Amino acid sequence: MMKNQEVHINALLDYERRRVERENQKPGHLTGIDCPICRNRGIVWVLDEKHITPVMKRCECMDRRAAASRIKKSGLTDALQGLTFQTYTACEKWQLDIKKAAIEYTRAPEGWFFIGGQVGCGKTHICTAILNELLKNKACVYMKWRDDVRDIKAKANDEAGSRLLERFKTASVLYIDDLFKGGITEADLNIAFEIINARYNSRSLLTIISTEKYINELIDLDEGIGSRIAQRSHGHQLEIGRDDRKNVRLRI
């Protein structure tokens, strides 16, 4: 009886494996990314052998599709094409140092990358260039601080606000552009701490931050936020001295 039961189970397993394989061969219709894993269906089937049941799972490409969609909505689509390491002007030593540090980070991405200081010195350009490189292999999310923190506050009591906040807290790679740009309220600090702390507690998550503030100024604003950023970005921390001559937007 046991032998017959084993034969029956093996036969069921073989049948379900073939069924899973057939389902995974069906092409999908998603565009933007050509995924060989799900064949652009957005889902993959795997076999739960314990229960002999096919289980549908979200394909890993969906994070990259979602990131690309968010970048498109944020207006960074064109920036990703134009703001690369190749287009970053590096004539002076401080620019060469920024570029070198950013490239080194993309070659062995670990921890956080922080760049703060002088307005118009190319902080967004260099961080977008980093994002451009990481997007080749990782799911990335772009957060434009002023716009997105406003959306989170506006939707604070809605599920949409919670989903947006959770997205920033858990993204494999998050780029926070212009952190604390403009006025800073207690609500802003609370949202920033929630995002920073969640990512601080998950060591595998990469975080890229550009801001007009220095680390010590972030610590003065909120020691919990500033000290976490300082610790995680250790070794990938750039502070650009305030000097109008470094504002490339003012150059004619």
Side-chain angles (χ1 to χ4, degrees), residues 33-178:
I33 293 173
D34 186 18
C35 179
I37 298 173
C38 70
R39 294 174 62 84
N40 301 325
R41 287 175 288 110
I43 58 98
V44 291
W45 289 93
V46 296
L47 182 62
D48 178 350
E49 298 201 359
K50 181 179 180 181
H51 300 96
I52 319 180
T53 304
V55 177
M56 185 176 67
K57 290 192 173 182
R58 186 173 182 267
C59 182
E60 63 185 42
C61 77
M62 292 304 291
D63 284 334
R64 289 187 288 132
R65 292 180 195 278
S69 174
R70 178 160 182 77
I71 287 168
K72 183 177 180 180
K73 291 177 182 178
S74 71
L76 265 187
T77 303
D78 293 337
L80 284 171
Q81 296 176 356
L83 301 182
T84 66
F85 289 134
Q86 290 72 29
T87 60
Y88 178 77
T89 301
C91 299
E92 301 178 36
K93 184 181 182 303
W94 63 272
Q95 293 170 317
L96 291 167
D97 290 342
I98 289 174
K99 185 174 181 177
K100 179 183 177 183
I103 290 174
E104 287 177 352
Y105 180 77
T106 61
R107 287 175 177 165
E110 186 176 351
W112 298 7
F113 183 93
F114 174 89
I115 181 168
Q118 175 60 42
V119 175
C121 68
K123 298 187 298 294
T124 294
H125 187 144
I126 208 68
C127 289
T128 304
I130 292 174
L131 203 68
N132 225 329
E133 291 298 311
L134 296 183
L135 268 169
K136 294 175 182 178
N137 300 302
K138 298 179 181 293
C140 303
V141 171
Y142 171 72
M143 180 184 190
K144 190 169 183 63
W145 173 259
R146 290 184 72 172
D147 295 344
D148 286 320
V149 77
R150 183 174 60 241
D151 284 349
I152 291 170
K153 288 189 290 187
K155 301 170 183 174
N157 299 318
D158 298 338
E159 187 179 340
S162 297
R163 284 199 304 268
L164 184 58
L165 186 59
E166 189 65 18
R167 182 174 178 76
F168 296 144
K169 288 163 62 175
T170 61
S172 296
V173 180
L174 176 67
Y175 169 29
I176 305 176
D177 187 15
D178 264 338

Side-chain angles (χ1 to χ4, degrees), residues 208-225:
I208 303 162
I209 298 172
S210 64
T211 176
E212 293 174 6
K213 300 189 180 299
Y214 298 146
I215 289 289
N216 68 311
E217 292 172 334
L218 293 177
I219 291 172
D220 287 343
L221 272 174
D222 187 290
E223 189 171 355
I225 294 171

